[in-house]
Amino acid sequence: MTTVFESTPGALGARAADPGIVLALSGGGAAGLAHIGALAALAERRVPVRAVVGTSIGAEIGAFYASGMALEELAGLATAFDWKQTLALFLPDLPTGGLVSGARIMEFLRARLGSRVIEELPLGYAAIAADLETGEQVVLDRGDLVEAVRASVSVPGLIAPLRRDGRTLVDGGVVNPVPFDVARERFGGPVVAIAVHSAVRAIAPMPAAPRPRGAWATRARQLLDQPWTARAPGLRGWLRAQLEPSADKNNHWTTRRVLDRVLDVAQAELVRLRAERRPPDLLLLPAVAGIGLLEFYRGQEAIAAGRRAVEARIAEIERLLA
């Protein structure tokens, strides 16, 4: 498992002797909004956080937090999203390497994070990405914060890779869905991992959350009726497939389900191997298994799940600080 650090491990940001926990925030799409609720619950119990290492959505939430954005503002930003706002960010614009170029995502991030550099953040921070050409894990812990987040959220096939320092970078979940090992290598312990990614089933069972199918189906049908979705035939086809299940009730292994399952199995093995080598001190599992990759309109539900996950284990977290 080759790792490339942009700086010498431990050379920047938080030190192991500093008070507080180090958070490892997983990827997982919209389910990752649970990280906001977890951060809020930690703040309410006055649990100090000295560093954050994130993959994909975890890198994005971690960047907002490490840059000093108020948790109330962050929660408001997350819960303001509806289907139209979400899909506006992911509307295909015919780039190379993905359905979307990521330009709108960069604009969204730049408007809120500005031109901050990681070395100057008040908290230790690192984002995980993968080098598409070499297969190496790349730990982005210096330079432009927005570029680091953009690289880490580059879901293969959906968002085009980012070129940075001669590397072609994609979503960190390809190599490290829950970066608790990097958190310890980079910042020391105690490390608390918050995992919403399905790959955590490799080391602990993921609690299930009921899926509000009726509400989801209503929104999906509303989208199909929108004239602007005609510009995204792939999206319309995907929505129809969700609303109109196959007539063959005995064969639910559609092409999409097969690909998703294969990816889950591969990432689960990555998590298991990393946990054997360098496990977190505590693993929290918000009950968000029913929230889909782009279902950001379920922000309130995800945030509440993250809050509950911390509250249920707060005594153990406080013992880690002791």
Side-chain angles (χ1 to χ4, degrees):
M1 298 179 186
T2 305
T3 300
V4 178
F5 283 86
E6 291 206 336
S7 66
T8 302
L12 299 171
R15 299 168 300 174
D18 292 339
I21 61 174
V22 178
L23 290 177
L25 305 182
S26 81
L33 297 179
H35 297 320
I36 300 173
L39 288 167
L42 291 170
E44 289 168 5
R45 296 301 291 260
R46 298 186 179 180
V47 174
V49 175
R50 59 187 177 84
V52 181
V53 178
T55 291
S56 199
I57 185 70
E60 182 176 356
I61 299 300
F64 288 133
Y65 179 73
S67 68
M69 178 180 285
L71 288 170
E72 295 81 1
E73 181 181 355
L74 182 51
L77 180 65
T79 56
F81 265 70
D82 59 19
W83 262 109
K84 291 182 181 180
Q85 290 169 305
T86 299
L87 292 174
L89 291 177
F90 298 98
L91 192 64
D93 51 2
L94 303 178
T96 298
L99 289 176
V100 301
S101 66
R104 297 183 185 91
I105 295 172
M106 285 286 281
E107 292 172 2
F108 172 85
L109 294 171
R110 190 69 73 186
R112 291 156 181 83
L113 293 173
S115 301
R116 290 181 174 85
V117 294
I118 296 173
E119 301 94 312
E120 297 176 0
L121 295 176
L123 298 180
Y125 175 81
I128 307 300
D131 187 316
L132 189 60
E133 297 171 349
T134 68
E136 294 174 312
Q137 171 178 256
V138 180
V139 179
L140 304 169
D141 57 1
R142 65 183 303 155
D144 187 85
L145 179 61
V146 168
E147 284 191 357
V149 174
R150 166 65 178 83
S152 189
V153 302
S154 301
V155 179
L158 176 61
I159 304 172
L162 178 77
R163 289 288 296 176
R164 172 167 163 151
D165 299 332
R167 292 180 176 273
T168 303
L169 301 178
V170 295
D171 193 302
V174 171
V175 289
N176 200 342
V178 194
F180 44 77
D181 55 337
V182 174
R184 192 180 302 280
E185 291 172 13
R186 181 64 181 72
F187 297 110
V191 174
V192 175
I194 304 175
V196 302
H197 199 289
S198 57
V200 299
R201 295 190 186 102
I203 51 179
M206 171 73 88
R211 180 185 180 87
R213 182 67 186 179
W216 186 93
T218 298
R219 289 183 173 89
R221 290 191 180 92
Q222 289 172 347
L223 278 174
L224 282 172
D225 293 337
Q226 297 296 317
W228 65 269
T229 61
R231 295 161 54 193
L235 170 64
R236 291 175 69 91
W238 182 83
L239 287 170
R240 286 197 180 95
Q242 307 307 307
L243 291 170
E244 302 169 6
S246 171
D248 184 359
K249 302 298 183 181
N250 297 319
N251 182 20
H252 69 285
W253 288 110
T254 61
T255 301
R256 173 61 183 272
R257 287 175 181 267
V258 169
L259 293 175
D260 286 347
R261 179 57 180 163
V262 168
L263 184 59
D264 279 350
V265 170
Q267 292 183 321
E269 183 67 4
L270 284 173
V271 174
R272 185 186 66 80
L273 291 171
R274 290 181 181 277
E276 286 182 355
R277 184 170 68 95
R278 187 163 292 182
D281 294 287
L282 186 65
L283 175 65
L284 304 182
L285 302 172
V288 290
I291 298 178
L293 179 69
L294 298 181
E295 293 182 342
F296 288 97
Y297 68 89
R298 296 172 67 179
Q300 291 183 343
E301 178 185 347
I303 291 171
R307 178 182 292 277
R308 289 193 299 270
V310 167
E311 291 172 346
R313 309 287 294 277
I314 191 62
E316 295 169 79
I317 296 172
E318 290 174 341
R319 281 197 293 271
L320 288 177
L321 289 172

